[in-house]
Amino acid sequence: MPGTPPARRTVLRAAALAPAVGLGLTACSSGDGGSNRSAPTAPVDLGKADDVKVGASKLYTDHNVVVSRIADDEYTAYSTICTHARCPIEKLEGRKLICQCHGSQFDATNGKVLKEPAVKPLPELPVKVENGKIIAGPEA
């Protein structure tokens, strides 16, 4: 706009860009509404051990844990806080965990990275079955 003072031009340009910046920040947010971004710090009861079938995995989003049943009496558990940007992972397809924030993928049975941008595996959590229930987390 010819004759418009630079200050006004700057204000108008900033006002025009503000919605785009907001969309960019939303796209990079976790989308988790501020939910818990940490793995259990104490043992948590995840429910019936029989809820996880042999050869399957189950995602416990309320506790940020995935449990896999390797054999009849063998379980593994991993934190589901993505090692890339600390987003809670909320999607499990078969044995593949998929982080909705940036697309990192992990193997639910061993925590290994299947797809970057994450490069560090998920931390393993102690897990045991007690009285027919899965208990996971430190000191489990």
Side-chain angles (χ1 to χ4, degrees), residues 1-5 8-9 12:
M1 289 187 254
T4 303
R8 182 172 178 212
R9 193 173 312 137
L12 292 173

Side-chain angles (χ1 to χ4, degrees), residues 95-118:
R95 294 176 138 184
K96 182 174 33 176
L97 292 161
I98 303 167
C99 181
Q100 67 279 4
C101 290
H102 301 105
S104 294
Q105 296 180 7
F106 301 88
D107 185 316
T109 64
N110 60 27
K112 290 183 180 176
V113 175
L114 300 174
K115 182 180 173 196
E116 296 182 355

Side-chain angles (χ1 to χ4, degrees), residues 22-93:
L23 286 174
L25 291 174
T26 300
C28 288
S29 74
S30 69
D32 65 3
S35 71
N36 183 12
R37 289 178 176 249
S38 65
T41 56
V44 291
D45 179 341
L46 298 174
K48 292 191 265 180
D50 289 340
D51 286 349
V52 183
K53 303 297 179 206
V54 175
S57 300
K58 184 171 179 179
L59 181 59
Y60 298 87
T61 56
D62 290 350
H63 299 289
N64 297 321
V65 174
V66 65
V67 173
S68 298
R69 191 168 183 179
I70 308 305
D72 193 46
D73 60 350
E74 182 183 355
Y75 295 79
T76 60
Y78 291 88
S79 164
T80 56
I81 300 298
C82 182
T83 58
H84 170 248
R86 303 225 19 96
C87 294
I89 298 171
E90 298 175 355
K91 186 174 184 181
L92 175 66
E93 290 180 354

